[in-house]
Amino acid sequence: RADSFQERRDFVVKSLNDIDGIKCLNPDGAFYVFPSCKGFLNKKTKLKKDTDFVKKLLEKANVAVVQGSAFGLEGYFRISYATSMKNLKKAMERIKSFCESLS
């Protein structure tokens, strides 16, 4: 069980770090990560806050994440990897496409 969580965590962290504009550190023991979306908060994207990023991600890519500011981490978002690898692969593809559409 712990191996499957580690595999999913590593997949999510690598997938997010492969997206230009996203930076994600490896978490210590949690089942979620807090990637930075600060690279997309600018005049060009018209996204000012992490709340704007997560709202547009849900609207445009059907991926639900929580804004980091809800946890005191402005400019980040929280995504859980406590789901199937199939769901995670789909979510990472959608997040990548969404982020590429902002560039």
Side-chain angles (χ1 to χ4, degrees):
R1 183 114 174 120
D3 285 352
S4 65
F5 270 105
Q6 185 174 344
E7 178 188 2
R8 286 180 268 168
R9 179 202 65 205
D10 293 348
F11 170 76
V12 167
V13 170
K14 182 184 181 327
S15 297
L16 290 167
N17 281 324
D18 285 346
I19 299 170
D20 285 340
I22 300 281
K23 289 185 177 81
C24 185
L25 297 175
N26 233 354
D28 293 326
F31 57 87
Y32 47 82
V33 293
F34 279 98
S36 169
C37 58
K38 291 178 183 178
F40 295 106
L41 306 180
N42 55 53
K43 287 181 181 172
K44 184 181 172 196
T45 64
K46 297 184 180 131
L47 303 174
K48 293 184 173 129
K49 297 182 175 195
D50 53 7
T51 50
D52 301 329
F53 180 86
V54 301
K55 184 179 176 194
K56 285 288 180 199
L57 182 61
L58 180 60
E59 288 173 4
K60 303 286 185 192
N62 291 322
V63 177
V65 298
V66 181
Q67 68 272 18
S69 54
F71 304 93
L73 290 169
E74 181 68 47
Y76 292 79
F77 63 98
R78 185 176 97 158
I79 184 165
S80 171
Y81 53 86
T83 186
S84 71
M85 187 60 97
K86 180 181 174 187
N87 286 343
L88 291 172
K89 285 180 179 175
K90 197 183 304 181
M92 292 303 111
E93 287 170 13
R94 290 178 180 183
I95 292 171
K96 183 175 184 180
S97 293
F98 171 73
C99 289
E100 287 173 348
S101 77
L102 296 175
S103 299

